[in-house]
Amino acid sequence: MKDLHLDQLISGFLDDTLSPQEKVEFESLMMRSEAARARFWELAEVHGLMSQAMVNLSVDDRGDWKVETRSTGLSTTDTSLWREASSLYRRRKSGVALVGGVLLGVLFSVFSLPVRGMPQQPKLTPLTAESFETGIAPAVVGIPTTVDNWSGDFTNVVASRDGLTPVDGDKMLQILRADYQGKPEPDGSYCGDLYRLIDVRSLAKQVATGDTVVRASAMFNMTAQPQHENFRHNVSIMAVTSDLIANENLFDAATIVEYSLASASRQSLRLDNDPQTWELSECELRLPPETEYVMVYVAISYGHSKNDLRRITFPGHFIDDIRVSLADYSH
């Protein structure tokens, strides 16, 4: 039976809404109860934060949380890791503090001992890594129907330009337009889309456990743009079946999310206007056991507000270092 009060304390901690008294109670529970610590990580995973907490988190000598990204030029100290519901580009402070890092060590200790019903450090299976070093641009046919091919709107593979350098290797993908060849009614399009369909049927035994999480990440950047223009980035994952792919009426960019087995998405509020900084966006989805394919969606778009300026073309917007992997939490 679930302890609703404990869940409320954990959710409050993750959202940084606990009162000082509740923070004391939360820390006390975490220090003395293994079951409470296990429940903490279960809810942290629901928040889409487990991988970031385990891989990207450390405590520096000042007692601050430090988020270390894998890419050059991306390192930030941030006390609000648990509140990161979209991408790591947000720089927000919170009042959460753990004296001497003791509670942090106690929380991580749950992974050093077998805890019933609790996933251990996962086994990772890389599915794809793309930095566009081949120089081959994705297909321009919208959503793909064949596996292991990038496809979407008009793009071009380019080298460094306008003071903007690829984050990985010598090349990066430039988003050119928000439409593709033969797109019906392209007028009004303002999202530059990129898709990849990945076949996971060879991993059916692993996926069938229900303990498999697919992770997708990508880096985003743009040249300096007018301050009044708003741009966003997006990384999404969809779990789909062969039947959906075979249905021409349903396997469409406008309906795939609705008819997928499950989906997850991470959208930024705004792409920053500094070409010297690449922004990381990450997304995770626990795959239903029936999953046969994974569709990964990466995009840059104009703002979604009705007052935002929108065009079908993009003046200087880039994607690089896309990575997709499976994390197996079964044990």
Side-chain angles (χ1 to χ4, degrees):
M1 182 176 179
K2 295 181 179 179
D3 185 334
L4 294 180
H5 180 62
L6 173 61
D7 286 2
Q8 290 173 350
L9 286 174
I10 295 172
S11 295
F13 178 80
L14 294 171
D15 295 330
D16 192 26
T17 59
L18 293 181
S19 68
Q21 294 78 12
E22 289 171 329
K23 288 178 183 177
V24 171
E25 182 181 3
F26 168 80
E27 293 185 8
S28 176
L29 280 171
M30 293 300 109
M31 293 292 289
R32 71 173 186 264
S33 171
E34 183 177 280
R37 294 192 292 273
R39 183 60 178 161
F40 171 87
W41 284 107
E42 289 176 356
L43 293 184
E45 182 181 6
V46 171
H47 277 64
L49 301 174
M50 179 174 284
S51 66
Q52 295 171 17
M54 293 184 64
V55 177
N56 298 327
L57 185 61
S58 63
V59 176
D60 65 17
D61 56 7
R62 297 172 301 173
D64 289 334
W65 302 100
K66 190 171 183 60
V67 180
E68 297 283 359
T69 72
R70 61 171 180 261
S71 303
T72 303
L74 276 175
S75 177
T76 179
T77 299
D78 191 339
T79 59
S80 61
L81 177 66
W82 310 107
R83 299 176 58 196
E84 294 291 351
S86 55
S87 65
L88 294 178
Y89 87 100
R90 298 181 184 179
R91 308 294 198 256
R92 294 183 293 179
K93 297 289 183 180
S94 78
V96 176
L98 303 179
V99 177
V102 175
L103 180 54
L104 175 65
V106 171
L107 288 173
F108 273 103
S109 71
V110 74
F111 291 99
S112 63
L113 297 172
V115 178
R116 192 172 190 177
M118 187 63 197
Q120 307 301 303
Q121 294 190 26
K123 174 185 177 182
L124 296 180
T125 303
L127 295 180
T128 190
E130 184 61 74
S131 295
F132 307 101
E133 295 304 298
T134 65
I136 301 174
V140 194
V141 294
I143 192 168
T145 56
T146 58
V147 299
D148 296 330
N149 293 303
W150 290 106
S151 178
D153 294 331
F154 286 97
T155 60
N156 190 28
V157 176
V158 299
S160 301
R161 58 181 52 196
D162 300 322
L164 196 152
T165 304
V167 70
D168 185 47
D170 299 319
K171 295 181 175 64
M172 56 192 172
L173 187 71
Q174 182 175 9
I175 302 295
L176 299 177
R177 296 178 58 88
D179 62 347
Y180 55 87
Q181 292 176 350
K183 181 177 183 178
E185 303 178 2
D187 292 343
S189 299
Y190 62 94
C191 297
D193 300 332
L194 185 66
Y195 298 90
R196 189 178 183 94
L197 183 64
I198 302 172
D199 188 344
V200 295
R201 290 176 296 177
S202 63
L203 301 170
K205 184 176 180 180
Q206 175 180 330
V207 173
T209 66
D211 294 321
T212 301
V213 174
V214 62
R215 300 172 175 173
S217 65
M219 306 295 291
F220 300 87
N221 207 346
M222 69 179 182
T223 56
Q225 303 296 323
Q227 289 295 331
H228 66 278
E229 296 189 11
N230 186 15
F231 299 91
R232 305 174 65 172
H233 54 72
N234 184 342
V235 175
S236 299
I237 305 168
M238 291 144 277
V240 299
T241 63
S242 300
D243 289 341
L244 178 59
I245 296 173
N247 191 321
E248 295 181 0
N249 296 322
L250 301 182
F251 193 65
D252 180 81
T255 56
I256 184 174
V257 172
E258 179 181 357
Y259 291 98
S260 64
L261 295 173
S263 65
S265 182
R266 289 289 184 268
Q267 296 188 40
S268 69
L269 297 178
R270 186 181 181 95
L271 182 58
D272 77 31
N273 209 9
D274 182 1
Q276 301 304 312
T277 61
W278 283 85
E279 298 180 22
L280 169 67
S281 184
E282 297 180 297
C283 185
E284 292 189 352
L285 175 66
R286 182 180 291 276
L287 296 180
E290 304 82 9
T291 303
E292 295 178 285
Y293 296 86
V294 170
M295 181 69 82
V296 176
Y297 170 71
V298 181
I300 293 179
S301 72
Y302 285 84
H304 294 185
S305 169
K306 64 180 180 180
N307 296 322
D308 284 327
L309 175 69
R310 296 174 180 173
R311 302 188 186 94
I312 199 170
T313 58
F314 291 87
H317 294 74
F318 304 89
I319 298 172
D320 200 4
D321 197 18
I322 304 173
R323 304 191 187 190
V324 185
S325 64
L326 286 183
D328 182 8
Y329 287 95
S330 62
H331 62 284

